[in-house]
């Protein structure tokens, strides 16, 4: 059982399922709360998804430049999310 779980994670397939969950969360929130909410949540969900992609790339020994790209996207999305939150806190 443990070996199967380890293979599932090391293959990267686990992170594909996590990303599918994030996409479903995005759709559910858009339907439930409306598309206007996406403006606030999209940077946060993008940062999280980019980090999941980064972990998958690292685990599957992908070329370093793809990992760097995914981490850069996560950083940019996090910066946008932080700026939005600071603006709304004023």
């Amino acid at each position: 059982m443990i070996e199967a779980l380890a293979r599932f994670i090391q293959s990267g397939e686990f992170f594909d399922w996590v990303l599918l969950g994030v996409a479903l969360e995005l759709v559910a929130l858009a339907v439930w709360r409306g598309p206007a909410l996406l403006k606030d949540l999209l940077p946060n969900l993008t940062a999280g998804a980019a980090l999941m992609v980064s972990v998958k790339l690292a685990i599957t020994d992908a070329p370093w430049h793809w990992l760097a790209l995914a981490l850069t996207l996560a950083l940019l999305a996090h910066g946008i999310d932080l700026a939005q939150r600071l603006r709304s806190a004023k």
Side-chain angles (χ1 to χ4, degrees):
M1 178 74 164
I2 297 296
E3 294 84 17
L5 182 58
R7 280 193 307 274
F8 180 61
I9 292 172
Q10 290 170 345
S11 72
E13 190 176 344
F14 169 77
F15 300 100
D16 295 336
W17 286 101
V18 171
L19 289 168
L20 178 62
V22 171
L24 292 174
E25 177 184 11
L26 182 65
V27 170
L29 287 170
V31 169
W32 181 48
R33 298 289 303 263
L37 180 70
L38 294 182
K39 179 180 125 324
D40 296 330
L41 287 180
L42 195 57
N44 186 286
L45 290 173
T46 301
L51 288 174
M52 282 294 112
V53 169
S54 299
V55 172
K56 177 183 176 171
L57 292 170
I59 285 178
T60 58
D61 291 326
W64 68 269
H65 56 275
W66 291 114
L67 178 58
L69 180 65
L71 287 171
T72 301
L73 176 61
L75 176 65
L76 292 173
H78 177 65
I80 292 168
D81 181 47
L82 185 60
Q84 282 181 345
R85 290 174 190 270
L86 289 174
R87 252 184 275 131
S88 68
K90 288 183 178 183

